Amino acid sequence: MNTLFDKIWDKHVVQMVDDGPTQLYIDRLYCHEVTSPQAFEGMRRRGLKCFRPDYIYCMPDHNTPTHDQDKPIEDPVSKKQVEMLERNARDFGVAHFGMMSPDNGIIHVVGPEKGLSLPGMTIVCGDSHTSTHGAMGAVAFGIGTSEVEMVMASQCILQQKPRSMRINIEGQLGPGVTAKDMALYLIAQLTTSGATGYFVEYAGEAVRTLSMEGRLTLCNLSIEMGARGGFIAPDETTFNYIKGREYAPKGEAWDKALSYWKTLRSDDDAVFDKELTFNAADIEPRITYGTNPGMGIGITELIPNASPMEAKSLAYMGLKAGECLLGKQVDYVFLGACTNGRIEDFRAFASIAKGRKKAANVTAWLVPGSWAVDRQIREEGLDKILEEAGFAIRQPGCSACLAMNDDKVPAGKLCVSTSNRNFEGRQGPGARTILCSPLVAAAAAVTGVITDPRDLASPSPSNGGDV
């Protein structure tokens, strides 16, 4: 009668604290430059070494520029944070994938693609979107800086066990509908607090048919509906994705691991604290209209009537209830982030861009999630398709997902973005963000306005950059 979450959690319990939290063993700690400095400094101040340094991996991503990475970082704060991470990793003897390293990228993109994130693991990082790694069939969640230090020192963490929720999405997704649309639909249905206190298992036909890239996108956005994390039971899609990757088990170790991974599923009679079911046919390409990911609609729908709190969001966005966003002019388009910076996302964008031209009024930032993604883009010739359409591919990093590097959207400008958050100022002070899938982003980039990607299903002749 156990859920998959129960099975993984219980296997990692070191001890139970009476009337308190659980001491949980952690298999993998990821560190980036923003939330780790205080943890390393705490370790240094106490004269401690990392208990299991081989289980810790560091890489800069939030502050890294997406151009001229071979040159010194100009912003002094970003420069200091990136250099501090390198120093800390060296001093504490942990792996560090630095800027311009072929292993570098966004930490939540690199972990799965290198085979560092595996089924059945417990995975933490000082970043809320650690839930991304749940797509591998792992229990993965974000933690605070003091907890990062706790894991460094003991490879354990004190945690209250979350409640369990299963979300089933049955049926098949329609044309032009992606995992990102699925996630935005769920957030709108549950609200940004609807899964608070829960760890979510995604299931159902529509989830099982997702690629690994799609699953990573879906799990990435779990935190946006308040969940502690989200994950998907591993299956043949998972195993085929992992096999042969750099840090994946090999030989007899692979056979042993695979045998265990195949047991990682919720029992048929497992009881969840909450269970919800949705129909994939109800989901169309999605866009947001407010300043949280739950304020979203189908791309053909009208903005609904707003509560007083939502009215403030609409005023910030310069939008009104009853308005249709189709045809609204766009200033910026961002493809990337740990949500949609993988190879499948670039393939989707290129499928719309092929045979067309970037709209003259649009500034577009296309940012791979890692150098490995960048290499695959070029191996598949997607770079040529995008360059012919007038797009340039930038260097890997978190980029315009958040205003912690050079890629900031100017005040008042409207950005159609594949990232995960649209809070006020998230992409830059005064910037206005509409969240969407790579297909919707591409449609906006070539037309200059918010456009239903289903209307651009087949390439059209060059539009010369005109709107």
Side-chain angles (χ1 to χ4, degrees):
M1 293 177 58
N2 286 331
T3 68
L4 174 55
F5 180 78
D6 290 332
K7 293 178 181 180
I8 298 175
W9 180 276
D10 293 348
K11 187 178 177 66
H12 289 80
V13 170
V14 177
Q15 66 174 336
M16 305 288 290
V17 179
D18 291 339
D19 299 320
T22 300
Q23 185 182 11
L24 195 72
Y25 181 79
I26 299 301
D27 294 304
R28 184 78 71 221
L29 170 64
Y30 293 121
C31 296
H32 56 61
E33 75 277 21
V34 179
T35 57
S36 67
Q38 301 92 330
F40 278 116
E41 188 54 35
M43 295 282 286
R44 190 176 282 114
R45 190 169 54 248
R46 293 195 290 161
L48 298 176
K49 296 181 179 180
C50 290
F51 181 61
R52 289 193 167 168
D54 292 347
Y55 293 65
I56 302 172
Y57 287 81
C58 302
M59 68 196 77
D61 52 14
H62 284 56
N63 290 99
T64 56
T66 60
H67 59 86
D68 298 320
Q69 288 189 3
D70 57 328
K71 299 180 176 64
I73 298 175
E74 294 181 3
D75 179 73
V77 175
S78 294
K79 185 174 188 289
K80 182 178 180 180
Q81 287 193 309
V82 170
E83 290 177 347
M84 183 62 71
L85 181 65
E86 182 177 10
R87 175 198 163 192
N88 284 331
R90 182 176 61 249
D91 289 353
F92 286 86
V94 299
H96 176 256
F97 300 155
M99 278 175 53
M100 294 304 294
S101 160
D103 299 316
N104 180 249
I106 303 173
I107 206 161
H108 304 315
V109 174
V110 173
E113 75 182 8
K114 294 190 78 64
L116 285 166
S117 301
L118 298 171
M121 277 187 165
T122 49
I123 300 171
V124 295
C125 175
D127 185 299
S128 60
H129 292 107
T130 307
S131 57
T132 307
H133 305 265
M136 310 305 295
V139 168
F141 52 93
I143 57 176
T145 297
S146 61
E147 294 171 310
V148 171
E149 184 178 343
M150 189 185 301
V151 177
M152 288 177 177
S154 67
Q155 207 59 35
C156 293
I157 192 173
L158 295 175
Q159 284 283 295
Q160 295 284 356
K161 185 177 181 179
R163 291 172 290 172
S164 62
M165 178 190 294
R166 180 160 63 186
I167 296 178
N168 306 291
I169 303 101
E170 300 296 352
Q172 298 180 356
L173 297 174
V177 182
T178 70
K180 181 65 167 290
D181 302 304
M182 183 188 294
L184 291 175
Y185 174 82
L186 293 176
I187 300 167
Q189 295 297 310
L190 273 72
T191 77
T192 53
S193 60
T196 300
Y198 290 93
F199 216 96
V200 176
E201 178 178 346
Y202 297 102
E205 180 186 2
V207 174
R208 289 192 299 272
T209 55
L210 289 176
S211 65
M212 280 310 302
E213 288 88 352
R215 296 179 187 193
L216 289 158
T217 295
L218 178 60
C219 291
N220 174 273
L221 285 151
S222 302
I223 192 72
E224 308 307 335
M225 55 187 182
R228 194 71 183 91
F231 71 125
I232 297 168
D235 57 16
E236 290 302 320
T237 298
T238 321
F239 309 146
N240 291 336
Y241 178 88
I242 295 170
K243 191 171 186 179
R245 293 187 181 269
E246 185 177 352
Y247 289 90
K250 306 290 193 302
E252 290 184 9
W254 169 262
D255 295 334
K256 183 178 179 181
L258 186 61
S259 179
Y260 166 58
W261 295 343
K262 288 181 176 180
T263 70
L264 295 176
R265 59 186 296 275
S266 291
D267 295 337
D268 293 339
D269 55 356
V271 177
F272 293 81
D273 294 305
K274 190 171 186 177
E275 187 156 11
L276 300 170
T277 299
F278 298 95
N279 187 349
D282 293 337
I283 307 173
E284 69 169 333
R286 304 282 298 183
I287 49 176
T288 59
Y289 59 86
T291 55
N292 72 61
M295 297 177 69
I297 53 176
I299 198 166
T300 62
E301 296 177 346
L302 304 180
I303 296 174
N305 292 327
S307 67
M309 185 176 295
E310 291 172 336
K312 179 178 179 291
S313 291
L314 287 179
Y316 178 86
M317 292 295 294
L319 302 172
K320 296 179 180 179
E323 187 176 356
C324 179
L325 290 181
L326 287 173
K328 186 168 187 63
Q329 185 165 313
V330 170
D331 303 304
Y332 282 73
V333 168
F334 170 51
L335 172 68
C338 58
T339 316
N340 285 121
R342 299 176 182 82
I343 187 61
E344 182 178 275
D345 304 310
F346 277 81
R347 290 173 186 152
F349 195 100
S351 73
I352 295 288
K354 187 174 183 178
R356 297 184 169 94
K357 293 290 184 181
K358 182 182 76 67
N361 61 291
V362 170
T363 297
W365 290 329
L366 277 56
V367 186
S370 69
W371 282 108
V373 173
D374 180 86
R375 290 191 293 273
Q376 197 165 352
I377 287 169
R378 299 176 194 285
E379 288 168 4
E380 295 183 13
L382 299 180
D383 58 324
K384 299 293 189 294
I385 293 172
L386 294 168
E387 288 167 7
E388 287 173 7
F391 297 99
I393 298 172
R394 299 171 79 86
Q395 294 174 318
C398 290
S399 185
C401 178
L402 76 174
M404 292 186 71
N405 52 74
D406 295 343
D407 297 349
K408 296 180 178 68
V409 177
K413 298 298 184 181
L414 184 67
C415 180
V416 169
S417 176
T418 68
S419 51
N420 41 47
R421 287 182 174 160
N422 54 345
F423 307 146
E424 291 187 20
R426 172 74 177 182
Q427 292 191 293
R432 299 179 297 144
T433 301
I434 287 177
L435 301 177
C436 66
S437 74
L439 290 174
V440 173
V446 298
T447 63
V449 298
I450 295 175
T451 301
D452 190 333
R454 295 172 295 188
D455 295 338
L456 304 179
S458 59
S460 66
S462 167
N463 61 18
D466 298 329
V467 179

